[in-house]
Coordinates of all heavy atoms in Angstrom, one line a residue:
G252 N 102.9 86.8 111.7 CA 103.2 85.4 111.5 C 103.4 84.8 110.1 O 103.4 83.6 109.9
A253 N 103.5 85.6 109.0 CA 103.6 85.1 107.7 C 105.0 84.3 107.6 O 106.0 84.8 108.0 CB 103.7 86.3 106.7
G254 N 104.8 83.1 107.0 CA 106.1 82.3 106.9 C 106.7 82.7 105.5 O 107.6 83.5 105.6
K255 N 106.1 82.3 104.5 CA 106.6 82.6 103.2 C 105.9 84.1 102.8 O 104.7 84.1 102.8 CB 106.3 81.7 102.1 CG 107.0 81.8 100.8 CD 106.7 80.6 99.9 CE 107.3 80.9 98.5 NZ 107.0 82.2 97.9
L256 N 106.7 85.1 102.5 CA 106.0 86.4 102.2 C 105.5 86.3 100.7 O 106.1 85.8 99.8 CB 107.0 87.5 102.3 CG 107.5 87.9 103.8 CD1 108.8 88.6 103.7 CD2 106.4 88.5 104.5
P257 N 104.3 87.0 100.7 CA 103.7 87.1 99.2 C 104.6 88.2 98.4 O 105.2 89.0 99.1 CB 102.4 87.6 99.4 CG 102.4 88.4 100.8 CD 103.4 87.6 101.6
P258 N 104.5 88.1 97.1 CA 105.3 89.3 96.5 C 104.7 90.6 96.8 O 103.6 91.0 96.9 CB 105.0 89.0 95.0 CG 103.9 88.0 94.9 CD 103.8 87.3 96.2
V259 N 105.7 91.6 97.1 CA 105.3 92.9 97.5 C 106.1 93.9 96.6 O 107.3 93.7 96.3 CB 105.7 93.3 98.9 CG1 105.4 94.8 99.4 CG2 105.0 92.2 99.9
T260 N 105.5 94.9 96.0 CA 106.2 95.8 95.1 C 106.7 97.1 95.8 O 106.2 97.2 97.0 CB 105.2 96.4 93.9 OG1 104.2 97.1 94.5 CG2 104.6 95.2 93.1
G261 N 107.4 97.9 95.2 CA 107.9 99.1 95.8 C 108.2 100.1 94.7 O 107.9 99.9 93.5
Q262 N 108.9 101.2 95.1 CA 109.5 102.2 94.1 C 110.5 103.1 95.0 O 110.2 103.3 96.2 CB 108.2 103.1 93.8 CG 108.7 104.4 93.2 CD 107.6 105.3 92.7 OE1 107.7 106.3 92.2 NE2 106.4 105.1 93.3
D263 N 111.5 103.6 94.2 CA 112.5 104.4 94.8 C 113.8 103.7 94.8 O 114.8 104.5 95.1 CB 112.1 105.2 96.0 CG 111.0 106.2 95.8 OD1 111.1 106.8 94.7 OD2 110.3 106.4 96.7
A264 N 113.9 102.5 94.9 CA 115.1 101.9 94.9 C 116.0 102.4 96.2 O 117.1 102.7 96.2 CB 116.0 102.0 93.8
E265 N 115.2 102.4 97.3 CA 115.9 102.7 98.6 C 116.9 101.6 99.0 O 116.7 100.4 98.6 CB 114.8 102.8 99.7 CG 113.8 104.0 99.5 CD 114.2 105.2 100.3 OE1 114.7 104.9 101.5 OE2 113.8 106.2 100.0
L266 N 117.9 102.0 99.7 CA 119.1 101.0 100.0 C 118.4 99.7 100.7 O 118.6 98.7 100.4 CB 120.1 101.6 100.9 CG 121.2 100.7 101.1 CD1 121.9 100.0 99.9 CD2 122.4 101.4 102.0
D267 N 117.6 100.1 101.8 CA 117.0 98.9 102.4 C 116.0 98.0 101.7 O 116.0 96.8 101.8 CB 116.4 99.3 103.9 CG 115.5 100.4 103.8 OD1 115.2 100.8 102.7 OD2 115.1 100.8 105.0
A268 N 115.4 98.7 100.7 CA 114.5 98.0 99.8 C 115.3 97.1 98.7 O 115.0 95.9 98.6 CB 113.6 98.9 98.9
V269 N 116.5 97.6 98.4 CA 117.4 96.8 97.5 C 117.9 95.6 98.3 O 117.8 94.5 97.8 CB 118.5 97.6 96.9 CG1 119.5 96.8 96.2 CG2 118.0 98.8 96.2
Q270 N 118.1 95.8 99.5 CA 118.5 94.7 100.4 C 117.5 93.8 100.7 O 117.7 92.4 100.6 CB 119.1 95.2 101.8 CG 120.5 95.9 101.5 CD 120.9 96.7 102.7 OE1 120.2 97.2 103.5 NE2 122.3 96.7 103.1
R271 N 116.2 94.2 100.7 CA 115.1 93.2 100.9 C 114.8 92.5 99.5 O 114.5 91.4 99.6 CB 113.8 94.0 101.2 CG 113.8 94.5 102.7 CD 112.4 95.0 103.1 NE 111.8 96.2 102.3 CZ 112.0 97.4 102.6 NH1 112.6 97.7 103.7 NH2 111.6 98.3 101.9
I272 N 115.2 93.0 98.5 CA 115.1 92.5 97.1 C 116.1 91.3 97.1 O 115.8 90.2 96.7 CB 115.2 93.3 96.0 CG1 113.9 94.3 96.0 CG2 115.3 92.7 94.6 CD1 114.0 95.5 95.0
V273 N 117.3 91.6 97.6 CA 118.5 90.7 97.5 C 118.0 89.5 98.4 O 118.1 88.3 98.0 CB 119.7 91.3 98.1 CG1 120.8 90.3 98.4 CG2 120.3 92.3 97.1
S274 N 117.4 89.6 99.5 CA 117.1 88.6 100.5 C 115.7 87.9 100.1 O 115.3 87.0 100.6 CB 117.0 89.0 101.9 OG 115.9 90.0 102.2
G275 N 115.1 88.6 99.2 CA 113.8 87.9 98.8 C 112.6 88.3 99.5 O 111.5 87.9 99.3
D276 N 112.6 89.2 100.4 CA 111.5 89.8 101.3 C 110.6 90.7 100.3 O 109.5 90.7 100.5 CB 112.0 90.6 102.5 CG 112.3 89.6 103.7 OD1 112.3 88.4 103.5 OD2 112.6 90.1 104.7
Q277 N 111.3 91.5 99.5 CA 110.4 92.3 98.7 C 110.7 91.9 97.2 O 111.9 91.6 96.8 CB 111.0 93.8 98.8 CG 110.2 94.8 98.0 CD 110.5 96.3 98.4 OE1 110.8 96.5 99.6 NE2 110.4 97.1 97.4
Y278 N 109.6 91.9 96.4 CA 109.8 91.3 95.1 C 110.4 92.3 94.1 O 111.3 91.9 93.4 CB 108.4 91.0 94.5 CG 108.5 90.4 93.2 CD1 109.2 89.2 92.9 CD2 107.9 91.0 92.1 CE1 109.2 88.7 91.6 CE2 107.9 90.6 90.7 CZ 108.6 89.4 90.5 OH 108.8 88.9 89.3
M279 N 110.1 93.5 94.1 CA 110.8 94.4 93.3 C 110.6 95.9 93.8 O 109.8 96.2 94.6 CB 110.0 94.3 91.8 CG 108.4 94.7 91.8 SD 108.0 96.4 91.6 CE 108.5 96.8 89.9
S280 N 111.2 96.8 93.1 CA 111.2 98.2 93.3 C 111.1 98.9 91.9 O 111.3 98.2 90.9 CB 112.3 98.7 94.1 OG 112.2 100.1 94.3
V281 N 111.0 100.1 91.9 CA 111.1 100.8 90.6 C 112.3 101.8 90.7 O 112.3 102.6 91.6 CB 109.8 101.6 90.2 CG1 110.1 102.4 88.8 CG2 108.6 100.7 90.0
Y282 N 113.2 101.6 89.8 CA 114.4 102.5 89.8 C 114.2 103.5 88.9 O 113.9 103.5 87.7 CB 115.7 101.7 89.3 CG 116.9 102.6 89.2 CD1 117.3 103.3 90.2 CD2 117.6 102.7 88.0 CE1 118.3 104.2 90.1 CE2 118.6 103.6 87.8 CZ 119.0 104.4 88.9 OH 120.0 105.3 88.8
K283 N 114.3 104.8 89.5 CA 114.1 106.0 88.9 C 115.5 106.7 88.9 O 116.0 106.9 89.9 CB 113.1 106.8 89.6 CG 111.7 106.2 89.6 CD 110.8 106.7 90.7 CE 110.3 108.0 90.7 NZ 109.1 108.2 91.5
S284 N 116.1 106.9 87.8 CA 117.4 107.5 87.7 C 117.3 109.0 88.2 O 117.0 110.0 87.4 CB 118.0 107.5 86.2 OG 119.1 108.2 86.3
Y285 N 117.7 109.2 89.5 CA 117.6 110.5 90.0 C 118.6 111.4 89.3 O 118.3 112.7 89.1 CB 117.9 110.4 91.6 CG 116.9 109.6 92.3 CD1 117.2 108.7 93.1 CD2 115.5 109.8 92.1 CE1 116.3 107.8 93.7 CE2 114.5 109.1 92.6 CZ 114.9 108.0 93.5 OH 114.0 107.3 94.1
P286 N 119.8 111.0 89.1 CA 120.8 111.9 88.3 C 120.1 112.3 87.1 O 120.3 113.6 86.8 CB 122.0 110.9 88.0 CG 121.9 109.9 89.1 CD 120.5 109.6 89.4
Q287 N 119.5 111.5 86.3 CA 118.9 112.0 85.0 C 117.9 113.0 85.2 O 117.8 114.2 84.6 CB 118.2 110.8 84.4 CG 118.3 110.8 82.9 CD 117.7 109.7 82.1 OE1 118.2 108.5 82.6 NE2 117.1 109.8 81.1
E288 N 117.0 112.8 86.2 CA 116.0 113.9 86.5 C 116.6 115.1 87.0 O 116.2 116.2 86.7 CB 114.8 113.3 87.5 CG 113.7 114.3 87.8 CD 112.8 113.8 89.0 OE1 113.4 113.3 89.9 OE2 111.6 113.9 88.8
A289 N 117.4 115.1 88.1 CA 118.0 116.1 88.8 C 118.8 117.1 87.9 O 118.8 118.3 87.9 CB 118.7 115.7 90.0
N290 N 119.6 116.3 87.2 CA 120.7 117.1 86.1 C 119.8 117.9 85.2 O 120.0 119.0 84.8 CB 121.6 116.1 85.4 CG 122.6 115.8 86.4 OD1 123.2 116.5 87.1 ND2 123.1 114.6 86.2
A291 N 118.7 117.2 84.6 CA 117.9 117.8 83.6 C 117.2 119.0 84.2 O 116.9 120.1 83.6 CB 116.9 116.8 82.9
A292 N 116.8 118.9 85.5 CA 116.1 120.1 86.2 C 117.0 121.3 86.2 O 116.6 122.4 86.0 CB 115.5 119.6 87.5
A293 N 118.2 120.9 86.8 CA 119.2 122.1 86.9 C 119.5 122.7 85.5 O 119.5 124.0 85.3 CB 120.5 121.5 87.4
E294 N 119.6 121.9 84.5 CA 119.8 122.4 83.0 C 118.7 123.4 82.6 O 118.8 124.4 82.1 CB 119.9 121.3 82.1 CG 121.4 120.6 82.2 CD 121.4 119.3 81.4 OE1 120.5 118.9 80.8 OE2 122.6 118.8 81.3
M295 N 117.4 122.8 82.9 CA 116.2 123.6 82.6 C 116.2 124.9 83.3 O 115.8 126.0 82.7 CB 115.0 122.9 82.9 CG 114.6 121.7 81.9 SD 113.4 120.5 82.6 CE 112.0 121.5 82.7
A296 N 116.4 124.9 84.6 CA 116.4 126.1 85.4 C 117.5 127.2 84.9 O 117.1 128.4 84.7 CB 116.7 125.7 86.9
V297 N 118.7 126.7 84.8 CA 119.7 127.7 84.3 C 119.3 128.1 82.9 O 119.6 129.3 82.7 CB 121.2 127.0 84.4 CG1 122.2 127.8 83.9 CG2 121.5 126.6 85.9
A298 N 119.0 127.3 81.9 CA 118.7 127.7 80.6 C 117.6 128.8 80.6 O 117.7 129.8 79.9 CB 118.3 126.5 79.8
R299 N 116.5 128.6 81.5 CA 115.4 129.4 81.5 C 115.8 130.9 82.0 O 115.5 131.8 81.4 CB 114.3 128.9 82.5 CG 113.1 129.6 82.7 CD 112.2 129.6 81.4 NE 111.0 130.3 81.6 CZ 110.9 131.7 81.6 NH1 111.9 132.4 81.4 NH2 109.7 132.2 81.7
V300 N 116.7 130.9 83.1 CA 117.1 132.1 83.6 C 118.1 132.9 82.6 O 118.0 134.2 82.5 CB 117.9 131.9 85.0 CG1 118.5 133.3 85.5 CG2 117.0 131.3 86.0

Side-chain angles (χ1 to χ4, degrees):
K255 194 177 174 309
L256 288 164
V259 178
T260 65
Q262 166 183 192
D263 286 327
E265 294 260 329
L266 181 56
D267 49 4
V269 176
Q270 290 172 324
R271 286 194 296 269
I272 291 173
V273 166
S274 68
D276 276 5
Q277 184 172 327
Y278 179 62
M279 61 85 72
S280 181
V281 176
Y282 173 55
K283 304 161 55 161
S284 169
Y285 303 125
Q287 210 172 322
E288 183 187 40
N290 282 324
E294 286 171 350
M295 280 162 68
V297 174
R299 181 73 176 76
V300 175

